[in-house]
Amino acid sequence: MQNWHHKWSSVDVYNDEIVISTVHDFTEEDYLESDIILKEMFGLHYSRESRFIRLDFGERILKISFEHLENGFHEDNQSLPLFKELSRRFSEPEDLKGVPVIAFHSYKGGVGRTLSLLSTVRALSTKRNTEKNRQYRLLIVDSDIEAPGLTWLAETQGIFSDMSLLDALALVHDNKNWKQVLPFVAKKIKETALRLPIERQFVEHFFLPAYREVQQVMLMPTTPENIIKMNDREWVITDFLSELGRELEVDAVLIDLRAGVSEFAAPVLFDPRVRKIYVSSTSLQSRRGLKTILKQIYDKPLHEKYPYPTVLISMVPEEIDNEERMNMAEEFLDVFKSMEKEQDIDKPFDRLVEFLSFSSNLVHLEGFDSIDRKLSNSEMSKTIDLLVSDWVDIKANSERENSIPNNKKSSFLKKLVTTATEMEHAETKLISNFLTTIPLKNITRKYRYTAPVSVVLGAKGSGKTFAYLQLLRSGTWENFINKVEGGNEKFETITHVVPFLKPKNLADESVSDMSLHMDALRTALGFDISIRSILSLTDEIELFEANTGTEAEWKTFWRKKILEFTGLPFENFEDLQTYLEKTNKRVLFIADGLEELFLNVTNSSKERTAVRALCQGIINELRSMPEGRIGLLLFLRRDVAINSVEQNWTQFYAQYSLFELKWTNVEALRLALWLSCEVDKSFYSSQIPIENLTGEALEEKLYPLWGIKLGRKDSKEAYSANWIIAVLSDLNEQLQARDIIRFLRYAAIESTNTTPLNDRYLSPSAIRNAIKPCSEQKIKEIEQEMPLVEKIFAKLQSKSPDQRQVPFQLEDFGLSNDEARFLEQQGYLVKIDTGYYMPEIIRRGLGFSLQSGARPKVFALLKRAQRRK
């Protein structure tokens, strides 16, 4: 371990103290070295003077001591809900005060337990809670520490939570009044969510992973067995999960338990209030093992108020006939005869034991995205849907889409041109309405109750400046959260948005709006700031760059300028934090346009150092402040970040990837549908929010805009959505919001001069003709924003049009290998076989033609480029 003193022997963590055992007597020098190590680990959470760590939760501290300790553990003889306990005289649990808890368990792994849970999630997600008039919301908990399948699947979706089940259990264990930890745990869980595609829409549910990092499993802080040993806590784990669900305002908690005879699962399995779903295969080992467990759990009558268990026998081969199925079912029914409800045993046979035929389609799952497709119309989904319908009073959501009238083409196209023109350069207009994208939802969820400290990455034209201005015009971070989520939540503490750096070429309207906002900040915060503060800062940065080169100097510079920006005499961030604490306020500094100040990051080590000092040094320093009231959102172009953060780019990107403003194929379709709705509110009338539609559903909703194909339905032309996305994409499969909006504007203009087909607004010929002007505008903007690319493009355009053809060789245009690599990094160039190709959105604007003279095979080009990466 890198941060480990060579004289430390072990570290023991208690609820109020950290004890560091040492091999040898410590000298004063050893203490000083240990202080430095602890400071590096915990940042401003660690006090070197008093030697304690300040925790985020409960304003508690952990004292640090250095000594040799021998720890003993006291066990009492009370009867506990554990498999190893022989006595079964548990205290009767009180009724759950929160939401229902549903647990999934199996004797063996690999029998479909986790898939059964996901199928239940799917079934509940398609129903409506009639009492609350909304779809069901769930908390999904991964309790399988040994094989945390749900946690691994979540990681493939980029979900890395700051709160795990092990964290939550540790908090419950360390606090006598465990209910006090509920708000804190709930806030952490709300920072992320699973987005599951279910029946062609995305549904979000809260998720509590098994662990936050693998080291937690290796050094497990506590276990359920430790937690329930405390007096009157036999059933505390279920109580906690149930009330945590209520705190999150969900309708149920679904928990995936560890397989086998496990003390980790026992407290939940022995709790009669929990609805249990047991999963077994047809193998003798799986059935006998599960039956042994059931005999332990159901060794006494089950009170009528408690839910029935269900056994799912999965992966049933075709050769298993009905007689064999009945014999298998009887094995488990014999166990359930001891339940008080035995008079009903013969009646709800299908509710107690269910059989699921084998399906090879469900054996291999790589991610959540494939689950909905594979479960759709499967026997498992149909069976579990019936079970779910028995559990809850729910009603299927059967809504019908309205058809689009065909008599409004002329007015629609005219308004589309006007709306797209306004939105194309949204940063120049005071536009208050905007599309809620997944990255924006991710960042508002992550920093719902704290000042954001993060880097927001994005390619050129991805909407960084637009998001920056939306933040500015929201006034406070909390207003921005409500804008993104469409809510009206009241927050205890207000976070005022303070523009620290601005893009150079903001329109006069935006600058005026910024000036008014800064006037308001003087009253709200007592800061002495104005629009001149930003303008003078730009000059100071350019002067400072010429005289410095070290990262430490740049970090000092950025810290000093942020503090000076307030107009008040703060010496450090701690002084500013204290000032804000007195008034119970927070500030969020926002910065955009860094790439306009540092134009030569690729070739200048000074510029790379300056960017790195801000996006890593200052960001990390602010993040280390306990209960930080100072936020910083740095909007940074992706290529600038890649070139500046040279050594730790993978780790850096993983930290901020969820917040990256990028327009994938699905997001591009979502933007097109959203813009169509801005033109005509009746274009899409479903109650399902646009941001929850899957790609397939979005394509269908856009048929009235551009048709199914670039021709009639029975033609051999390309599918419209696929062709448009491929032509507008670069070779990194990235699109720009500006290109999508600009394309719709040109296509609408062209369509007013042609005769569209009766089933769409935009004609196929208009769609094809719109690409060239889009590409030409894009080339101009790239040249303005990226001087290095401008020089390379000049070389490519140096020859006559008849000589500009793809594929080409670098030497034909005097391009170096470094220049080619830079274009490849941007997604503007790719080498295939013996020649270089460009994406359509670049090729057409540069005036390159195809050597064959045939139509460009845009799909094949994009796929081959991706294979080479």
Side-chain angles (χ1 to χ4, degrees), residues 734-795:
Q734 295 294 309
L735 299 96
Q736 290 185 15
R738 190 180 300 163
D739 290 338
I740 300 160
I741 294 169
R742 181 182 290 140
F743 159 76
L744 292 174
R745 176 168 70 87
Y746 282 120
I749 293 172
E750 286 279 332
S751 293
T752 59
N753 302 321
T754 59
T755 304
L757 297 175
N758 292 331
D759 63 342
R760 68 197 73 179
Y761 290 117
L762 303 179
S763 70
S765 62
I767 289 173
R768 291 193 178 94
N769 293 337
I771 301 301
K772 185 176 181 181
C774 282
S775 181
E776 291 171 342
Q777 287 292 318
K778 184 179 182 71
I779 295 298
K780 290 179 181 178
E781 291 172 353
I782 292 174
E783 291 175 338
Q784 290 173 359
E785 297 179 23
M786 305 175 72
L788 180 57
V789 177
E790 181 184 16
K791 294 177 182 178
I792 302 174
F793 281 176
K795 291 182 179 182

Side-chain angles (χ1 to χ4, degrees), residues 471-518:
L471 266 167
L472 179 71
R473 288 160 187 161
S474 297
T476 68
W477 174 245
E478 290 70 29
N479 285 343
F480 185 73
I481 290 175
N482 282 328
K483 273 188 178 182
V484 169
E485 299 184 355
N488 193 28
E489 183 175 347
K490 303 296 182 182
F491 293 85
E492 294 181 4
T493 307
I494 299 301
T495 308
H496 295 275
V497 175
V498 180
F500 174 60
L501 284 175
K502 78 171 187 64
K504 284 187 176 180
N505 299 316
L506 281 185
D508 292 341
E509 289 176 290
S510 296
V511 174
S512 176
D513 198 39
M514 182 178 291
S515 181
L516 291 173
H517 175 70
M518 296 183 82

Side-chain angles (χ1 to χ4, degrees), residues 344-364:
D344 296 329
I345 284 293
D346 294 332
K347 183 178 179 182
F349 170 81
D350 57 330
R351 294 165 57 185
L352 288 172
V353 182
E354 289 283 354
F355 290 86
L356 303 174
S357 297
F358 175 79
S359 174
S360 59
N361 190 39
L362 299 176
V363 172
H364 184 69

